[in-house]
């Protein structure tokens, strides 16, 4: 039906197609519809919701609607933060690095936007800086905490498993 997640995917792909054809009004309409359906079906903390939010931000950027683009990039940043908070503590160090790399394409899109828009509104530069620090800090804190737990434990099997993970 019209509220199904598959419909959201179709809308998203149509938005990307129209954006590629520089028919940005149509792209915006389809991406908004896609975003509404993804949020309705999966909530605001799913990778799909983040993807369409970032895509809508890019469409706004192409239309030179920089305030709207910044707002959408900020929403995407909140979504990525929720996803990281929910999943990060359960991942190994390598999984964490791969996860951050998988969502960094959207961060890279924002950083590119922030380089130009930041001249008009330095909040964009601040958010880009905070984003980079957050990701690096999460990896560092997580790894340091795990190392502390393992080194203070008397469990030799845990220490062995930790050594295996870090090879």
């Amino acid at each position: 039906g019209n509220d199904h997640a598959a419909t959201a995917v179709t809308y998203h792909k149509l938005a990307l197609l129209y954006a590629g054809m520089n028919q940005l009004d149509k792209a915006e309409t389809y991406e908004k519809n896609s975003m509404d359906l993804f949020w309705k079906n999966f909530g605001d903390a799913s990778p799909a919701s983040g993807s369409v939010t970032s895509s809508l931000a890019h469409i706004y950027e192409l239309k030179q609607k920089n305030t709207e683009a910044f707002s959408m990039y900020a929403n995407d940043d909140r979504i990525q933060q929720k996803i990281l908070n929910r999943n990060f503590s359960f991942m190994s160090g390598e999984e964490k690095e791969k996860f951050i790399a998988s969502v960094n394409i959207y961060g890279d899109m924002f950083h590119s936007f922030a380089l130009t828009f930041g001249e008009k509104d330095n909040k964009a530069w601040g958010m880009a800086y905070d984003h980079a620090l957050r990701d690096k800090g999460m990896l560092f804190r997580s790894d340091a905490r795990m190392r502390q737990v393992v080194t203070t434990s008397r469990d030799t099997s845990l220490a062995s498993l930790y050594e295996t993970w870090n090879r």
Side-chain angles (χ1 to χ4, degrees):
N2 288 338
D3 287 342
H4 196 273
T7 304
V9 172
T10 301
Y11 287 159
H12 178 59
K13 290 184 180 200
L14 285 168
L16 296 176
L17 174 69
Y18 282 119
M21 294 168 41
N22 204 33
Q23 295 182 25
L24 299 177
D25 290 335
K26 287 183 181 179
E28 179 182 351
T29 299
Y30 278 109
E31 201 67 90
K32 283 180 177 179
N33 291 337
S34 176
M35 186 174 70
D36 290 345
L37 287 178
F38 273 119
W39 284 40
K40 180 178 179 179
N41 284 287
F42 302 111
D44 68 344
S46 76
S49 298
S51 176
V52 297
T53 303
S54 188
S55 293
L56 182 57
H58 187 66
I59 291 167
Y60 283 142
E61 183 179 352
L62 293 172
K63 293 179 78 171
Q64 298 181 345
K65 292 181 166 183
N66 291 329
T67 303
E68 292 89 341
F70 180 71
S71 176
M72 286 295 108
Y73 280 125
N75 282 339
D76 179 54
D77 189 59
R78 282 189 286 278
I79 291 167
Q80 298 306 330
Q81 183 65 44
K82 286 180 181 182
I83 294 169
L84 288 171
N85 289 342
R86 183 180 62 217
N87 297 310
F88 215 66
S89 63
F90 301 104
M91 298 179 188
S92 70
E94 184 178 340
E95 289 170 327
K96 290 173 185 177
E97 288 178 21
K98 286 180 181 178
F99 182 78
I100 285 179
S102 75
V103 297
N104 260 356
I105 186 170
Y106 306 112
D108 291 347
M109 287 169 62
F110 170 70
H111 290 157
S112 175
F113 169 77
L115 282 173
T116 54
F117 183 64
E119 292 177 6
K120 295 178 182 112
D121 184 344
N122 62 12
K123 287 185 281 186
W125 285 340
M127 193 170 113
Y129 181 74
D130 291 347
H131 178 264
L133 284 180
R134 179 192 67 218
D135 289 353
K136 299 300 180 196
M138 287 180 82
L139 284 172
F140 180 75
R141 281 190 310 274
S142 175
D143 190 48
R145 177 70 180 128
M146 177 65 76
R147 188 173 29 260
Q148 178 188 17
V149 168
V150 170
T151 57
T152 58
S153 170
R154 295 183 181 171
D155 186 343
T156 57
S157 64
L158 178 63
S160 176
L161 181 60
Y162 179 75
E163 289 302 317
T164 301
W165 280 348
N166 287 300
R167 287 188 198 156

